[in-house]
Amino acid sequence: MEQLQQQIVEQHLLATAQKVEDQLDNEMHQLQKLDEDDMESLRQQRLQQMKKAAIKKQEWLRKGHGEYNEIASEKEFFAEMKGEERMICHFYRENWPCKVMDKHLQILAKQHVETKFIKIHAEKSPFLTERLKVFMLPTLACVKKEKTVDYVVGFDELGGSDDFSTHTLAARLSLHGLITYEGSEDYGGALNHNQHKKKGVQRSVRYGGERAVGSDDEDSDFE
């Protein structure tokens, strides 16, 4: 299982490293052509980008990003989703696998303020669970611009057991752009859940079945 988790992270890191290398090569090539006026213009553009990023971060924080909150009703789900670029909703119940997922999501929510993280009790949200075809718990519904584009169901894609790392989950969520993940993030040393497991207990959580993944231009599941 650890080997599978490592492969997931390594594949993402290799793809990211290649993308960064290509970008750096292109930037170096462009810099060689610049004169002093061009360099000053580039610095000003970078400064404006940093200001816009700071303003955007403050906007996200005002909307509840940076926290992992539970919502009490389906009505709240739609209110939380409205106007969001990216949102991850954990459908849970009171069981061990969902508690494991909670620990990782709490870490990710603090680090990835570009995305809103929420949770809702599946048994108290029958309309949503039916509409989104939530049939196993935990399930993460990944929403972009008010449309579901991806699901993470159980732990199969995370190595098949409950000792997956936070980096493994982060890499998986980044596949459809739900978070911006580079692989160098510091999750405070809480990379896996081994320290939270009950002594002498090894749990394996495997779920069968495939989920249909939506695309960004498909009809909303909520209409």
Side-chain angles (χ1 to χ4, degrees):
M1 299 306 174
E2 291 182 3
Q3 184 177 3
L4 177 57
Q5 293 176 29
Q6 188 67 20
Q7 288 176 349
I8 294 172
V9 175
E10 286 179 355
Q11 288 172 2
H12 181 86
L13 290 178
L14 285 173
T16 301
Q18 184 61 54
K19 189 180 299 182
V20 171
E21 184 178 349
D22 293 342
Q23 183 178 353
L24 287 174
D25 288 343
N26 181 62
E27 290 178 357
M28 290 295 294
H29 180 70
Q30 295 299 324
L31 285 172
Q32 291 173 359
K33 300 178 180 180
L34 298 178
D35 56 26
E36 288 189 10
D37 290 339
D38 291 330
M39 290 294 290
E40 178 60 26
S41 176
L42 190 62
R43 281 193 289 268
Q44 291 299 320
Q45 289 178 20
R46 180 57 180 160
L47 182 60
Q48 290 300 315
Q49 289 174 352
M50 292 174 64
K51 289 180 178 178
K52 289 181 179 179
I55 292 172
K56 189 66 174 178
K57 182 176 181 178
Q58 289 302 313
E59 178 185 343
W60 284 332
L61 293 176
R62 285 195 299 270
K63 295 173 69 176
H65 293 223
E67 301 175 354
Y68 178 48
N69 296 315
E70 181 169 1
I71 57 175
S73 69
E74 294 173 319
K75 184 177 180 180
E76 283 186 62
F77 175 91
F78 291 103
E80 292 286 343
M81 180 180 67
K82 186 175 182 180
E84 289 293 340
E85 296 177 24
R86 293 171 292 271
M87 187 179 83
I88 295 171
C89 182
H90 175 201
F91 286 85
Y92 83 99
R93 62 177 299 183
E94 294 297 335
N95 63 17
W96 174 255
C98 291
K99 291 181 185 297
V100 172
M101 187 65 78
D102 276 340
K103 294 292 185 181
H104 291 291
L105 293 176
Q106 287 170 355
I107 295 168
L108 292 177
K110 293 178 181 178
Q111 288 277 350
H112 296 279
V113 296
E114 70 273 13
T115 302
K116 175 176 282 188
F117 288 81
I118 61 174
K119 61 186 290 190
I120 188 170
H121 198 293
E123 294 175 354
K124 297 178 181 178
S125 51
F127 172 80
L128 286 174
T129 54
E130 181 179 354
R131 181 54 80 72
L132 297 180
K133 299 180 176 61
V134 175
F135 62 96
M136 288 289 179
L137 301 176
T139 285
L140 304 184
C142 304
V143 181
K144 291 180 71 175
K145 297 180 180 179
E146 303 185 19
K147 299 176 183 177
T148 50
V149 297
D150 195 14
Y151 296 92
V152 179
V153 182
F155 297 157
D156 269 359
E157 295 180 84
L158 306 173
S161 66
D162 62 6
D163 62 352
F164 61 91
S165 71
T166 306
H167 278 277
T168 300
L169 179 58
R172 174 62 184 82
L173 291 173
S174 71
L175 292 180
H176 283 79
L178 267 298
I179 63 173
T180 303
Y181 175 69
E182 298 178 353
S184 58
E185 288 83 354
D186 181 5
Y187 293 130
L191 301 185
N192 61 58
H193 203 76
N194 282 335
Q195 63 268 37
H196 300 290
K197 291 172 65 177
K198 295 182 179 179
K199 197 169 185 179
V201 176
Q202 176 67 36
R203 297 169 186 263
S204 178
V205 183
R206 291 185 175 275
Y207 298 129
E210 298 290 333
R211 290 302 303 258
V213 177
S215 60
D216 286 345
D217 59 355
E218 69 173 330
D219 293 337
S220 171
D221 290 318
F222 308 110
E223 294 176 353

mmCIF file of all heavy atoms in Angstrom, residues 82-116:
data_model
loop_
_atom_site.group_PDB
_atom_site.id
_atom_site.type_symbol
_atom_site.label_atom_id
_atom_site.label_comp_id
_atom_site.label_asym_id
_atom_site.label_seq_id
_atom_site.Cartn_x
_atom_site.Cartn_y
_atom_site.Cartn_z
ATOM 1 N N LYS A 82 -22.558 28.671 -3.589
ATOM 2 C CA LYS A 82 -22.859 29.781 -4.494
ATOM 3 C C LYS A 82 -21.644 30.678 -4.697
ATOM 4 O O LYS A 82 -21.063 31.192 -3.752
ATOM 5 C CB LYS A 82 -24.019 30.603 -3.942
ATOM 6 C CG LYS A 82 -24.489 31.687 -4.901
ATOM 7 C CD LYS A 82 -25.718 32.403 -4.365
ATOM 8 C CE LYS A 82 -26.211 33.459 -5.342
ATOM 9 N NZ LYS A 82 -27.408 34.167 -4.824
ATOM 10 N N GLY A 83 -21.270 30.837 -5.942
ATOM 11 C CA GLY A 83 -20.183 31.736 -6.302
ATOM 12 C C GLY A 83 -18.782 31.193 -6.067
ATOM 13 O O GLY A 83 -17.801 31.905 -6.315
ATOM 14 N N GLU A 84 -18.678 29.950 -5.619
ATOM 15 C CA GLU A 84 -17.356 29.395 -5.331
ATOM 16 C C GLU A 84 -16.700 28.840 -6.601
ATOM 17 O O GLU A 84 -17.341 28.165 -7.403
ATOM 18 C CB GLU A 84 -17.454 28.277 -4.292
ATOM 19 C CG GLU A 84 -17.767 28.742 -2.899
ATOM 20 C CD GLU A 84 -16.642 29.567 -2.285
ATOM 21 O OE1 GLU A 84 -15.488 29.467 -2.764
ATOM 22 O OE2 GLU A 84 -16.923 30.311 -1.327
ATOM 23 N N GLU A 85 -15.412 29.108 -6.762
ATOM 24 C CA GLU A 85 -14.662 28.531 -7.868
ATOM 25 C C GLU A 85 -14.375 27.055 -7.616
ATOM 26 O O GLU A 85 -14.440 26.235 -8.537
ATOM 27 C CB GLU A 85 -13.344 29.292 -8.053
ATOM 28 C CG GLU A 85 -13.518 30.747 -8.450
ATOM 29 C CD GLU A 85 -12.180 31.466 -8.558
ATOM 30 O OE1 GLU A 85 -11.151 30.792 -8.786
ATOM 31 O OE2 GLU A 85 -12.153 32.690 -8.403
ATOM 32 N N ARG A 86 -14.033 26.737 -6.370
ATOM 33 C CA ARG A 86 -13.684 25.351 -6.012
ATOM 34 C C ARG A 86 -14.223 25.051 -4.618
ATOM 35 O O ARG A 86 -14.028 25.836 -3.686
ATOM 36 C CB ARG A 86 -12.159 25.151 -6.022
ATOM 37 C CG ARG A 86 -11.511 25.259 -7.394
ATOM 38 C CD ARG A 86 -9.995 25.274 -7.274
ATOM 39 N NE ARG A 86 -9.562 26.513 -6.633
ATOM 40 C CZ ARG A 86 -9.292 27.638 -7.296
ATOM 41 N NH1 ARG A 86 -9.393 27.658 -8.609
ATOM 42 N NH2 ARG A 86 -8.904 28.719 -6.647
ATOM 43 N N MET A 87 -14.847 23.893 -4.471
ATOM 44 C CA MET A 87 -15.346 23.473 -3.168
ATOM 45 C C MET A 87 -15.278 21.951 -3.063
ATOM 46 O O MET A 87 -15.587 21.239 -4.017
ATOM 47 C CB MET A 87 -16.787 23.939 -2.949
ATOM 48 C CG MET A 87 -17.314 23.669 -1.544
ATOM 49 S SD MET A 87 -19.010 24.270 -1.302
ATOM 50 C CE MET A 87 -19.938 22.892 -2.012
ATOM 51 N N ILE A 88 -14.863 21.473 -1.888
ATOM 52 C CA ILE A 88 -14.823 20.039 -1.606
ATOM 53 C C ILE A 88 -15.743 19.770 -0.430
ATOM 54 O O ILE A 88 -15.593 20.380 0.634
ATOM 55 C CB ILE A 88 -13.395 19.579 -1.287
ATOM 56 C CG1 ILE A 88 -12.505 19.740 -2.524
ATOM 57 C CG2 ILE A 88 -13.384 18.121 -0.809
ATOM 58 C CD1 ILE A 88 -11.033 19.520 -2.257
ATOM 59 N N CYS A 89 -16.700 18.873 -0.631
ATOM 60 C CA CYS A 89 -17.654 18.526 0.422
ATOM 61 C C CYS A 89 -17.486 17.063 0.804
ATOM 62 O O CYS A 89 -17.591 16.172 -0.044
ATOM 63 C CB CYS A 89 -19.089 18.791 -0.028
ATOM 64 S SG CYS A 89 -20.324 18.429 1.246
ATOM 65 N N HIS A 90 -17.236 16.835 2.081
ATOM 66 C CA HIS A 90 -17.080 15.482 2.619
ATOM 67 C C HIS A 90 -18.438 14.986 3.120
ATOM 68 O O HIS A 90 -18.986 15.527 4.083
ATOM 69 C CB HIS A 90 -16.056 15.518 3.763
ATOM 70 C CG HIS A 90 -15.891 14.212 4.468
ATOM 71 N ND1 HIS A 90 -15.374 14.119 5.744
ATOM 72 C CD2 HIS A 90 -16.172 12.936 4.088
ATOM 73 C CE1 HIS A 90 -15.336 12.859 6.109
ATOM 74 N NE2 HIS A 90 -15.823 12.116 5.129
ATOM 75 N N PHE A 91 -18.987 13.976 2.452
ATOM 76 C CA PHE A 91 -20.190 13.310 2.939
ATOM 77 C C PHE A 91 -19.741 12.217 3.905
ATOM 78 O O PHE A 91 -19.001 11.308 3.522
ATOM 79 C CB PHE A 91 -20.982 12.715 1.772
ATOM 80 C CG PHE A 91 -21.704 13.751 0.957
ATOM 81 C CD1 PHE A 91 -21.049 14.422 -0.072
ATOM 82 C CD2 PHE A 91 -23.019 14.071 1.228
ATOM 83 C CE1 PHE A 91 -21.711 15.392 -0.822
ATOM 84 C CE2 PHE A 91 -23.694 15.033 0.485
ATOM 85 C CZ PHE A 91 -23.033 15.701 -0.539
ATOM 86 N N TYR A 92 -20.195 12.318 5.152
ATOM 87 C CA TYR A 92 -19.656 11.445 6.185
ATOM 88 C C TYR A 92 -20.754 10.866 7.067
ATOM 89 O O TYR A 92 -21.907 11.259 7.011
ATOM 90 C CB TYR A 92 -18.680 12.245 7.062
ATOM 91 C CG TYR A 92 -19.368 13.054 8.143
ATOM 92 C CD1 TYR A 92 -19.433 12.578 9.459
ATOM 93 C CD2 TYR A 92 -19.990 14.268 7.854
ATOM 94 C CE1 TYR A 92 -20.087 13.306 10.453
ATOM 95 C CE2 TYR A 92 -20.638 14.994 8.836
ATOM 96 C CZ TYR A 92 -20.689 14.509 10.134
ATOM 97 O OH TYR A 92 -21.353 15.213 11.111
ATOM 98 N N ARG A 93 -20.336 9.934 7.891
ATOM 99 C CA ARG A 93 -21.125 9.468 9.024
ATOM 100 C C ARG A 93 -20.141 9.221 10.156
ATOM 101 O O ARG A 93 -18.920 9.328 9.959
ATOM 102 C CB ARG A 93 -21.914 8.207 8.690
ATOM 103 C CG ARG A 93 -21.064 7.012 8.324
ATOM 104 C CD ARG A 93 -21.882 5.773 8.070
ATOM 105 N NE ARG A 93 -22.647 5.389 9.258
ATOM 106 C CZ ARG A 93 -23.408 4.297 9.326
ATOM 107 N NH1 ARG A 93 -23.529 3.527 8.252
ATOM 108 N NH2 ARG A 93 -24.037 3.993 10.422
ATOM 109 N N GLU A 94 -20.648 8.883 11.322
ATOM 110 C CA GLU A 94 -19.763 8.687 12.477
ATOM 111 C C GLU A 94 -19.127 7.301 12.424
ATOM 112 O O GLU A 94 -19.597 6.350 13.035
ATOM 113 C CB GLU A 94 -20.555 8.869 13.788
ATOM 114 C CG GLU A 94 -21.065 10.275 14.011
ATOM 115 C CD GLU A 94 -19.945 11.293 14.152
ATOM 116 O OE1 GLU A 94 -18.825 10.905 14.553
ATOM 117 O OE2 GLU A 94 -20.175 12.464 13.857
ATOM 118 N N ASN A 95 -18.056 7.183 11.665
ATOM 119 C CA ASN A 95 -17.308 5.929 11.614
ATOM 120 C C ASN A 95 -15.818 6.232 11.477
ATOM 121 O O ASN A 95 -15.412 7.375 11.258
ATOM 122 C CB ASN A 95 -17.809 5.017 10.486
ATOM 123 C CG ASN A 95 -17.625 5.626 9.106
ATOM 124 O OD1 ASN A 95 -16.867 6.567 8.919
ATOM 125 N ND2 ASN A 95 -18.326 5.087 8.131
ATOM 126 N N TRP A 96 -15.002 5.205 11.610
ATOM 127 C CA TRP A 96 -13.552 5.394 11.605
ATOM 128 C C TRP A 96 -13.020 5.936 10.280
ATOM 129 O O TRP A 96 -12.223 6.893 10.280
ATOM 130 C CB TRP A 96 -12.851 4.074 11.950
ATOM 131 C CG TRP A 96 -11.359 4.152 11.834
ATOM 132 C CD1 TRP A 96 -10.569 3.637 10.862
ATOM 133 C CD2 TRP A 96 -10.477 4.806 12.757
ATOM 134 N NE1 TRP A 96 -9.255 3.918 11.098
ATOM 135 C CE2 TRP A 96 -9.167 4.642 12.248
ATOM 136 C CE3 TRP A 96 -10.667 5.521 13.941
ATOM 137 C CZ2 TRP A 96 -8.048 5.162 12.904
ATOM 138 C CZ3 TRP A 96 -9.552 6.033 14.595
ATOM 139 C CH2 TRP A 96 -8.257 5.857 14.072
ATOM 140 N N PRO A 97 -13.385 5.376 9.109
ATOM 141 C CA PRO A 97 -12.849 5.920 7.857
ATOM 142 C C PRO A 97 -13.133 7.413 7.682
ATOM 143 O O PRO A 97 -12.272 8.154 7.197
ATOM 144 C CB PRO A 97 -13.556 5.080 6.778
ATOM 145 C CG PRO A 97 -13.872 3.800 7.462
ATOM 146 C CD PRO A 97 -14.233 4.179 8.860
ATOM 147 N N CYS A 98 -14.325 7.862 8.068
ATOM 148 C CA CYS A 98 -14.660 9.276 7.919
ATOM 149 C C CYS A 98 -13.843 10.141 8.880
ATOM 150 O O CYS A 98 -13.487 11.278 8.553
ATOM 151 C CB CYS A 98 -16.160 9.499 8.145
ATOM 152 S SG CYS A 98 -17.199 8.795 6.831
ATOM 153 N N LYS A 99 -13.528 9.613 10.050
ATOM 154 C CA LYS A 99 -12.681 10.350 10.989
ATOM 155 C C LYS A 99 -11.268 10.498 10.434
ATOM 156 O O LYS A 99 -10.609 11.527 10.623
ATOM 157 C CB LYS A 99 -12.666 9.654 12.345
ATOM 158 C CG LYS A 99 -13.994 9.716 13.088
ATOM 159 C CD LYS A 99 -13.888 9.031 14.446
ATOM 160 C CE LYS A 99 -15.250 8.968 15.146
ATOM 161 N NZ LYS A 99 -15.779 10.304 15.448
ATOM 162 N N VAL A 100 -10.777 9.453 9.765
ATOM 163 C CA VAL A 100 -9.471 9.526 9.119
ATOM 164 C C VAL A 100 -9.473 10.627 8.063
ATOM 165 O O VAL A 100 -8.555 11.459 7.991
ATOM 166 C CB VAL A 100 -9.108 8.172 8.480
ATOM 167 C CG1 VAL A 100 -7.838 8.290 7.634
ATOM 168 C CG2 VAL A 100 -8.923 7.105 9.546
ATOM 169 N N MET A 101 -10.503 10.630 7.226
ATOM 170 C CA MET A 101 -10.607 11.643 6.182
ATOM 171 C C MET A 101 -10.683 13.037 6.781
ATOM 172 O O MET A 101 -10.071 13.993 6.266
ATOM 173 C CB MET A 101 -11.831 11.368 5.307
ATOM 174 C CG MET A 101 -11.938 12.269 4.087
ATOM 175 S SD MET A 101 -10.599 12.018 2.891
ATOM 176 C CE MET A 101 -11.161 10.498 2.098
ATOM 177 N N ASP A 102 -11.411 13.183 7.878
ATOM 178 C CA ASP A 102 -11.526 14.481 8.555
ATOM 179 C C ASP A 102 -10.161 15.057 8.906
ATOM 180 O O ASP A 102 -9.907 16.251 8.716
ATOM 181 C CB ASP A 102 -12.354 14.344 9.835
ATOM 182 C CG ASP A 102 -13.846 14.432 9.591
ATOM 183 O OD1 ASP A 102 -14.251 14.959 8.532
ATOM 184 O OD2 ASP A 102 -14.610 13.973 10.462
ATOM 185 N N LYS A 103 -9.295 14.217 9.460
ATOM 186 C CA LYS A 103 -7.975 14.681 9.899
ATOM 187 C C LYS A 103 -7.185 15.275 8.741
ATOM 188 O O LYS A 103 -6.557 16.332 8.869
ATOM 189 C CB LYS A 103 -7.192 13.533 10.538
ATOM 190 C CG LYS A 103 -7.783 13.028 11.841
ATOM 191 C CD LYS A 103 -7.652 14.072 12.936
ATOM 192 C CE LYS A 103 -8.138 13.519 14.261
ATOM 193 N NZ LYS A 103 -8.041 14.515 15.340
ATOM 194 N N HIS A 104 -7.218 14.608 7.608
ATOM 195 C CA HIS A 104 -6.484 15.105 6.440
ATOM 196 C C HIS A 104 -7.113 16.377 5.877
ATOM 197 O O HIS A 104 -6.404 17.308 5.474
ATOM 198 C CB HIS A 104 -6.428 14.025 5.364
ATOM 199 C CG HIS A 104 -5.570 12.853 5.733
ATOM 200 N ND1 HIS A 104 -4.201 12.926 5.843
ATOM 201 C CD2 HIS A 104 -5.895 11.566 6.026
ATOM 202 C CE1 HIS A 104 -3.716 11.745 6.176
ATOM 203 N NE2 HIS A 104 -4.724 10.902 6.299
ATOM 204 N N LEU A 105 -8.431 16.423 5.849
ATOM 205 C CA LEU A 105 -9.109 17.600 5.294
ATOM 206 C C LEU A 105 -8.901 18.832 6.166
ATOM 207 O O LEU A 105 -8.823 19.954 5.658
ATOM 208 C CB LEU A 105 -10.601 17.305 5.116
ATOM 209 C CG LEU A 105 -10.935 16.253 4.050
ATOM 210 C CD1 LEU A 105 -12.430 15.969 4.028
ATOM 211 C CD2 LEU A 105 -10.469 16.698 2.666
ATOM 212 N N GLN A 106 -8.822 18.645 7.457
ATOM 213 C CA GLN A 106 -8.538 19.764 8.354
ATOM 214 C C GLN A 106 -7.182 20.385 8.033
ATOM 215 O O GLN A 106 -7.018 21.607 8.039
ATOM 216 C CB GLN A 106 -8.579 19.297 9.806
ATOM 217 C CG GLN A 106 -9.979 19.026 10.324
ATOM 218 C CD GLN A 106 -9.973 18.346 11.689
ATOM 219 O OE1 GLN A 106 -8.925 17.985 12.220
ATOM 220 N NE2 GLN A 106 -11.154 18.167 12.260
ATOM 221 N N ILE A 107 -6.210 19.535 7.732
ATOM 222 C CA ILE A 107 -4.869 20.014 7.367
ATOM 223 C C ILE A 107 -4.900 20.727 6.023
ATOM 224 O O ILE A 107 -4.358 21.828 5.874
ATOM 225 C CB ILE A 107 -3.882 18.833 7.327
ATOM 226 C CG1 ILE A 107 -3.718 18.223 8.715
ATOM 227 C CG2 ILE A 107 -2.528 19.271 6.771
ATOM 228 C CD1 ILE A 107 -2.996 16.890 8.723
ATOM 229 N N LEU A 108 -5.554 20.116 5.041
ATOM 230 C CA LEU A 108 -5.587 20.682 3.699
ATOM 231 C C LEU A 108 -6.341 22.007 3.656
ATOM 232 O O LEU A 108 -5.963 22.921 2.925
ATOM 233 C CB LEU A 108 -6.217 19.689 2.724
ATOM 234 C CG LEU A 108 -5.403 18.420 2.448
ATOM 235 C CD1 LEU A 108 -6.179 17.487 1.525
ATOM 236 C CD2 LEU A 108 -4.054 18.756 1.838
ATOM 237 N N ALA A 109 -7.411 22.112 4.433
ATOM 238 C CA ALA A 109 -8.207 23.340 4.431
ATOM 239 C C ALA A 109 -7.374 24.540 4.867
ATOM 240 O O ALA A 109 -7.510 25.646 4.320
ATOM 241 C CB ALA A 109 -9.425 23.187 5.344
ATOM 242 N N LYS A 110 -6.501 24.349 5.839
ATOM 243 C CA LYS A 110 -5.666 25.450 6.327
ATOM 244 C C LYS A 110 -4.602 25.843 5.311
ATOM 245 O O LYS A 110 -4.261 27.020 5.201
ATOM 246 C CB LYS A 110 -4.994 25.043 7.641
ATOM 247 C CG LYS A 110 -5.961 24.860 8.795
ATOM 248 C CD LYS A 110 -5.233 24.400 10.053
ATOM 249 C CE LYS A 110 -6.208 24.189 11.208
ATOM 250 N NZ LYS A 110 -5.505 23.699 12.428
ATOM 251 N N GLN A 111 -4.101 24.876 4.568
ATOM 252 C CA GLN A 111 -3.021 25.136 3.625
ATOM 253 C C GLN A 111 -3.518 25.651 2.283
ATOM 254 O O GLN A 111 -2.864 26.477 1.652
ATOM 255 C CB GLN A 111 -2.222 23.853 3.397
ATOM 256 C CG GLN A 111 -1.353 23.445 4.564
ATOM 257 C CD GLN A 111 -0.025 24.177 4.580
ATOM 258 O OE1 GLN A 111 0.331 24.845 3.635
ATOM 259 N NE2 GLN A 111 0.695 24.051 5.682
ATOM 260 N N HIS A 112 -4.673 25.156 1.848
ATOM 261 C CA HIS A 112 -5.153 25.463 0.494
ATOM 262 C C HIS A 112 -6.384 26.376 0.570
ATOM 263 O O HIS A 112 -7.521 25.936 0.361
ATOM 264 C CB HIS A 112 -5.460 24.167 -0.257
ATOM 265 C CG HIS A 112 -4.245 23.324 -0.487
ATOM 266 N ND1 HIS A 112 -3.356 23.548 -1.516
ATOM 267 C CD2 HIS A 112 -3.737 22.274 0.209
ATOM 268 C CE1 HIS A 112 -2.371 22.663 -1.464
ATOM 269 N NE2 HIS A 112 -2.580 21.886 -0.421
ATOM 270 N N VAL A 113 -6.115 27.643 0.840
ATOM 271 C CA VAL A 113 -7.220 28.592 1.005
ATOM 272 C C VAL A 113 -7.891 28.925 -0.320
ATOM 273 O O VAL A 113 -8.938 29.583 -0.341
ATOM 274 C CB VAL A 113 -6.733 29.891 1.683
ATOM 275 C CG1 VAL A 113 -6.247 29.614 3.086
ATOM 276 C CG2 VAL A 113 -5.634 30.570 0.866
ATOM 277 N N GLU A 114 -7.316 28.455 -1.430
ATOM 278 C CA GLU A 114 -7.953 28.681 -2.725
ATOM 279 C C GLU A 114 -9.231 27.867 -2.876
ATOM 280 O O GLU A 114 -10.019 28.098 -3.797
ATOM 281 C CB GLU A 114 -6.981 28.344 -3.867
ATOM 282 C CG GLU A 114 -6.662 26.866 -4.045
ATOM 283 C CD GLU A 114 -5.508 26.363 -3.191
ATOM 284 O OE1 GLU A 114 -5.096 27.097 -2.264
ATOM 285 O OE2 GLU A 114 -5.024 25.246 -3.446
ATOM 286 N N THR A 115 -9.438 26.902 -1.971
ATOM 287 C CA THR A 115 -10.578 25.991 -2.056
ATOM 288 C C THR A 115 -11.372 26.015 -0.755
ATOM 289 O O THR A 115 -10.788 26.078 0.322
ATOM 290 C CB THR A 115 -10.083 24.554 -2.330
ATOM 291 O OG1 THR A 115 -9.322 24.547 -3.544
ATOM 292 C CG2 THR A 115 -11.242 23.579 -2.455
ATOM 293 N N LYS A 116 -12.690 25.959 -0.859
ATOM 294 C CA LYS A 116 -13.530 25.853 0.335
ATOM 295 C C LYS A 116 -13.714 24.374 0.689
ATOM 296 O O LYS A 116 -14.004 23.549 -0.175
ATOM 297 C CB LYS A 116 -14.893 26.501 0.107
ATOM 298 C CG LYS A 116 -15.863 26.319 1.273
ATOM 299 C CD LYS A 116 -17.174 27.066 1.049
ATOM 300 C CE LYS A 116 -17.017 28.540 1.322
ATOM 301 N NZ LYS A 116 -18.300 29.264 1.297
#
